[in-house]
Amino acid sequence: MSRKYVIINADEVDSVNFDQVDETSSDTVRYSTDGSLTFVKFDTDTTPSFLDGKTQYTHSEIISVLATDEWSSDEPI
């Protein structure tokens, strides 16, 4: 079993069953710099049904995605 990551549209957060992913609520997910995307992670071999058909990323793949300008900003918070 390995951790998997799935990027979803921010407007899909309401459909996330937080009992099936590692995040606990919509307040604990990380959003893209423009707020349009987020991602969830899970550790089971069975994909939660609300994520069926979505691209799954490995840890190294999601780290590469999160390093892009879409997810990281050099501007101070």
Side-chain angles (χ1 to χ4, degrees):
M1 174 172 52
S2 63
R3 181 168 283 180
K4 298 175 185 94
Y5 303 80
V6 177
I7 295 172
I8 60 173
N9 291 321
D11 61 3
E12 294 177 272
V13 169
D14 290 340
S15 70
V16 172
N17 180 342
F18 287 100
D19 292 332
Q20 296 180 336
V21 296
D22 291 349
E23 293 73 23
T24 57
S25 73
S26 59
D27 295 327
T28 62
V29 296
R30 177 177 168 181
Y31 290 91
S32 58
T33 56
D34 69 359
S36 67
L37 299 172
T38 188
F39 69 94
V40 293
K41 55 189 172 289
F42 58 97
D43 290 316
T44 63
D45 288 328
T46 305
T47 302
S49 60
F50 62 90
L51 297 174
D52 280 345
K54 299 199 179 288
T55 301
Q56 296 182 13
Y57 298 87
T58 65
H59 183 259
S60 60
E61 290 170 333
I62 200 71
I63 292 298
S64 294
V65 170
L66 298 178
T68 65
D69 289 343
E70 187 173 21
W71 290 92
S72 302
S73 174
D74 291 334
E75 295 184 27
I77 297 174

